[in-house]
Amino acid sequence: MPENLNDTLNLTALPFWQWNLQENPLTEVDTGIPFDSIHRPREVKDTVFRKSMFQRHSLQVQHSHVVVRPENHEPAWIFVSLLLLTGLICLYFHLRKIKLFTLLRALIDRRAMDRLARDCNLNRTTLMLPMGLLLVAAISLPIHRMALPQTSLWGYLLLAAGLGLLYILRNAILRLLGNTFENRQAVVLYITNNYLFHMLEALVVTVILFPFFYLPGAQTTLFSFIVGFVAIAFTVRFVRGVKIFLTLPNSSSFYLFYYLCIVEIIPILALTKWIIYNNSAN
């Protein structure tokens, strides 16, 4: 069957929406249906201008630049310091072979304290000095955060170094008083008791420092808890040291006792005044 090549399509019969307007420009298309009778005309409201509520009032714009978002995360040196402090405390317990139960017992029993000093070879000052320095390093972290938050790692190191020197000077003054009043044995026992209490305080404060830095919104509460714990430990330690000092034979020198009280209390008062001054200045 031959193919029909005749084109019978009538191009003039195409609807208007299929027309190529570029080739067949039309000025007007009449579909025969008035659109005005189907759709209501849309009424456009006039633009309403209102007076700005941010003009001519007491809360004017003061910062025209972009405000930097505050950073709530702790710097890396805080985490490293906590891990290092925890590791040093565990290492000291391991090297000196000190058990926690034995340490707690030595804090309330004079004979247990003597056995601990003998068994753990704590008969020299250089072997017991790390106990106090660990406490100084632990206490310096919350003090640095609350009193010197604008300083960084170097501020903490300077604070810890200063408190460490004061701690060594304090023990040197206590030993000097013991030699001056010829009561060296009582002062040595008093300092040994202080070292054992400081070791326990360093352990407890280090444990509290982890939630202190990484628990949002709890720094003020935990700082108050640390201050309360250190104050209670200081009171118990001082009473315990005085009891050891006064119950020894030939230790009835009350002048030495008065000087011991002065050496113990004055650094606490000076540190408290310094913290209050820095908080009020900030």
Side-chain angles (χ1 to χ4, degrees), residues 3 28 30 62 64 66 70 74 81 91 97 101 118 120 139 145 162 170 174 181 189 198 223 235 257 276-277:
E3 183 179 1
E28 184 178 358
D30 187 7
Q62 298 180 356
S64 59
V66 178
E74 297 293 338
S81 300
L91 180 63
K97 298 179 180 179
F101 177 76
R118 182 183 66 252
C120 299
I139 291 294
R145 171 50 55 90
R170 164 186 168 275
L174 291 178
F181 289 92
L189 289 177
H198 291 163
F223 182 76
T235 304
F257 172 71
I276 294 175
Y277 175 77

Side-chain angles (χ1 to χ4, degrees), residues 4 18 40 62 79 130 135 152 158 162 165 171 175 189 211 217 233 240 251 275:
N4 186 12
Q18 295 185 9
R40 295 183 57 186
Q62 298 180 356
F79 184 71
L135 175 62
S152 59
L158 291 176
L165 292 177
N171 287 341
R175 294 183 183 276
L189 289 177
R240 171 71 176 167
S251 298
I275 294 175

